[in-house]
Amino acid sequence: GRAADAIGAVATASPLGGLFGVLTLLLVLPVAREIVLLFGPPEFFLVAVFGIVTVAVSSSRNLLRGLIAGGVGLMLSFVGYDTVHGGVRYTFGSDYLWDGIPLIPSLVGLFGMAEMIRLSIEGGSVASDATNVKLDGVTTGMRATFKHWKTVIRGSITGTLIGAIPGVGGTVATFIAYSTTKKADRDPESFGTGRIEGIVAPESANNAKDSGALMPTLAFGIPGSAEMAVFLGILILHGMQPGPAIFAEHQQDIYGLILALTLSAVLASIIGITFVRWLAAITLVKGQILAPVVIAVSLVGVFAINQAVGDVVLAALLGVLGYLMLRFDYPRLPLVIALILGETAERGF
């Protein structure tokens, strides 16, 4: 019943995190290459282990179930081509699995699909009581974000640092920001019951990590995330070779990119606030109507990425797995973190 509060917090925390990341990027750009060169296999391994250790942080209610979920995530991360010794593992003769378990279909299945399956089975709507949905509470969420400014700073720092680590940033940054905020709180068990800090921390990290991911991409030609891998290809396509020379030869373009990054963070928040009434009203739609629409749109989106039917099948299977984890109270966060970082940890080790 607090959708507007949540959107207000998102619309405030996201640009604040983005602005923090941009400021950090401007300060670090002159020495970015030297910083990236400090990271070798031991550092990558330890950073990956740090991410996986958050399994314990995020599963304080039931450590054993969290470790089991993390173990399953590690097992899934080892599917496909072995970057250390060559060859393929655990593909069961399927060419689709050669490249491993793709991240986006996995996230769509484990979170979006699983929640829609739960909503379909339980019935009702996301908001249990329509009278409690405040469509004009966006300013409350905005004020709450400034009230918890320490959480914003912690999330922004986490996002920038994790985002700057090649191959580790992106999704991991938001999960770690949430986990560290929960762990640092005096009452971690209350997270998930309406604590606004649970939204502020990952949202500030989410935008801050984009600036962090730009550092290794521009300075060393190493993409800091999956999105930056695509962006790296675009730079090369336009004749801009990432590396130290890019700051001398394309300085104007680089600062243009930083300006665009800043404006995008602010513009996204303005759009969110503008459409808050309609976004909050979605929580009142009955699950029998909402779930089929969301599932259909999700599967179409998953298919559109690579035009691969395997992605659709994987999202559906992991959707069922995600629902079973919800049903039997197994945390999904450790599985995701281990899935993302398993290959990085193995290669670094």
Side-chain angles (χ1 to χ4, degrees):
R2 295 175 57 198
D5 286 1
I7 295 170
V10 168
T12 309
S14 289
L16 289 176
L19 293 174
F20 182 93
V22 167
L23 178 61
T24 305
L25 179 63
L26 289 171
L27 294 174
V28 173
L29 272 180
V31 293
R33 178 179 170 84
E34 287 71 19
I35 293 176
V36 174
L37 284 173
L38 293 175
F39 280 83
E43 287 77 21
F44 284 127
F45 173 70
L46 287 175
V47 169
V49 170
F50 168 72
I52 296 173
V53 162
T54 58
V55 169
V57 176
S58 61
S59 309
S60 54
R61 280 191 305 169
N62 195 321
L63 178 60
L64 179 59
R65 292 184 179 184
L67 291 174
I68 291 173
V72 172
L74 282 176
M75 290 169 63
L76 292 176
S77 72
F78 297 142
V79 172
Y81 181 74
D82 182 357
T83 56
V84 179
H85 300 105
V88 293
R89 305 173 295 189
Y90 315 122
T91 60
F92 304 101
S94 172
D95 294 345
Y96 170 75
L97 294 175
W98 276 35
D99 290 329
I101 304 294
L103 180 60
I104 295 177
S106 302
L107 293 176
V108 170
L110 284 169
F111 292 98
M113 299 281 289
E115 292 291 347
M116 290 302 104
I117 293 174
R118 180 188 62 78
L119 191 60
S120 299
I121 293 175
E122 295 180 357
S125 59
V126 175
S128 57
D129 186 356
T131 60
N132 290 331
V133 178
K134 299 177 181 178
L135 301 183
D136 297 317
V138 62
T139 54
T140 304
M142 297 174 71
R143 287 196 300 269
T145 302
F146 288 105
K147 178 181 177 182
H148 298 288
W149 58 271
K150 291 182 180 179
T151 304
V152 174
I153 294 176
R154 183 190 297 115
S156 300
I157 293 174
T158 301
T160 303
L161 292 177
I162 301 298
I165 300 169
V168 177
T171 308
V172 178
T174 56
F175 284 141
I176 291 180
Y178 178 86
S179 297
T180 52
T181 299
K182 178 180 177 182
K183 185 67 174 178
D185 194 82
R186 294 179 179 178
D187 185 17
E189 297 301 324
S190 64
F191 276 68
T193 62
R195 291 288 299 275
I196 201 72
E197 299 96 309
I199 294 175
V200 172
E203 284 301 325
S204 56
N206 185 52
N207 273 21
K209 56 91 175 168
D210 291 329
S211 297
L214 266 177
M215 297 179 195
T217 306
L218 294 175
F220 205 47
I222 301 176
S225 64
E227 297 86 353
M228 287 301 155
V230 178
F231 180 65
L232 182 63
I234 295 174
L235 288 178
I236 296 173
L237 185 67
H238 286 276
M240 299 170 63
Q241 188 63 42
I246 196 172
F247 301 113
E249 300 173 3
H250 302 280
Q251 187 176 36
Q252 185 175 353
D253 297 318
I254 297 303
Y255 286 105
L257 288 172
I258 296 173
L259 178 61
L261 191 63
T262 306
L263 293 177
S264 68
V266 177
L267 180 61
S269 295
I270 293 174
I271 292 174
I273 295 173
T274 302
F275 293 100
V276 63
R277 283 179 169 271
W278 294 273
L279 293 171
I282 292 174
T283 63
L284 301 176
V285 179
K286 289 186 178 296
Q288 290 81 355
I289 299 174
L290 182 63
V293 174
V294 173
I295 290 174
V297 172
S298 298
L299 292 180
V300 169
V302 165
F303 177 78
I305 298 170
N306 297 312
Q307 287 78 49
V309 177
D311 287 349
V312 177
V313 175
L314 177 67
L317 291 175
L318 289 181
V320 175
L321 174 62
Y323 169 72
L324 292 175
M325 295 179 75
L326 276 172
R327 175 70 176 78
F328 296 103
D329 197 26
Y330 278 79
R332 293 166 292 172
L333 173 59
L335 190 154
V336 173
I337 290 179
L339 173 63
I340 296 171
L341 294 180
E343 182 184 351
T344 302
E346 181 187 25
R347 187 168 59 248
F349 182 76

